[in-house]
Amino acid sequence: MTKTVTELTRELGDREAIRDCLSRYGRAIDRADFALLSDIFWPDASIEFEGLINGPISEYIEKIVPEAAQAMEQTAHFLGNMLIEIDGDCAVTESYVQAFHRLANEDEPYDLVLGGRYLDRLEKRDDCWRILSRRFVCDWFREYADSADWEKGFYGLKMSAGERFPADLSYSYFASASG
């Protein structure tokens, strides 16, 4: 259903808070920042990633994410189109996601690229939006043999990769901006 400009204007603060919550997931998962990840979901939240987990968020944060972080050298999650429907203190969203993963296996690392959607239910409690339930729908994926030579760098430019929490440069960057 199409919303009027007046309806959207009335919802702007809530919409931005929801977008902020959903965007922080990428940072939390890519940097393996478990405290930030816990702050995105309500403690009573649930999560469903078919074949991986269908249960409480605590199990995902305490068991699944650390195992994945150990198996994956690098990840990058990008949100695209986002549909947000708000009804009072409840909201449902559909967010398109592309995720890039560098997996380390026993033979050689390889890259997994996938596209899908996060179907989220969010609640606003004490004027704060967090995810109450998340379901991931995978629309496509591709696996590639490792093609990145970090010793050589791209175009011969030697660069260091982003790091996990708390060593990543972005944490000191934001700390210096607020202090």
Side-chain angles (χ1 to χ4, degrees):
M1 179 172 133
T2 303
K3 294 201 175 207
T4 67
V5 172
T6 303
E7 290 171 318
L8 287 170
T9 300
R10 202 172 22 249
E11 294 179 348
L12 279 177
D14 286 324
R15 288 175 163 278
E16 188 56 28
I18 289 168
R19 264 190 288 277
D20 180 68
C21 175
L22 299 177
S23 295
R24 286 183 290 129
Y25 177 81
R27 176 183 172 86
I29 205 76
D30 292 338
R31 303 281 69 87
D33 185 337
F34 305 122
L36 178 58
L37 193 57
S38 295
D39 194 49
I40 295 164
F41 293 89
W42 290 113
D44 55 335
S46 62
I47 190 162
E48 182 180 347
F49 279 67
E50 189 173 351
L52 183 62
I53 186 172
N54 185 3
I57 195 63
S58 58
E59 180 182 344
Y60 179 69
I61 293 171
E62 295 165 13
K63 183 175 186 289
I64 305 294
V65 174
E67 289 174 5
Q70 188 171 7
M72 298 179 191
E73 295 174 353
Q74 300 165 321
T75 61
H77 291 72
F78 300 94
L79 291 182
N81 300 347
M82 195 177 292
L83 180 63
I84 301 170
E85 292 292 333
I86 300 171
D87 184 11
D89 288 343
C90 298
V92 293
T93 64
E94 177 186 48
S95 306
Y96 282 71
V97 62
Q98 286 188 359
F100 299 83
H101 307 84
R102 164 66 55 83
L103 288 98
N105 64 18
E106 293 176 13
D107 300 324
E108 290 183 20
Y110 69 97
D111 295 332
L112 167 65
V113 181
L114 59 86
R117 291 164 286 133
Y118 296 133
L119 304 177
D120 293 321
R121 293 188 183 283
L122 296 97
E123 274 189 6
K124 183 168 65 170
R125 302 177 188 172
D126 298 322
D127 203 32
C128 182
W129 286 99
R130 291 186 186 177
I131 299 170
L132 185 59
S133 69
R134 166 165 281 183
R135 183 171 186 179
F136 174 69
V137 177
C138 185
D139 292 323
W140 59 268
F141 74 94
R142 303 289 183 273
E143 293 178 309
Y144 302 97
D146 178 33
S147 61
D149 183 349
W150 281 91
E151 292 298 316
K152 180 181 171 188
F154 65 90
Y155 292 115
L157 301 173
K158 292 228 176 207
M159 302 185 106
S160 57
E163 299 184 50
R164 299 272 169 80
F165 174 81
D168 190 76
L169 175 64
S170 63
Y171 288 93
S172 62
Y173 180 77
F174 277 96
S176 68
S178 63

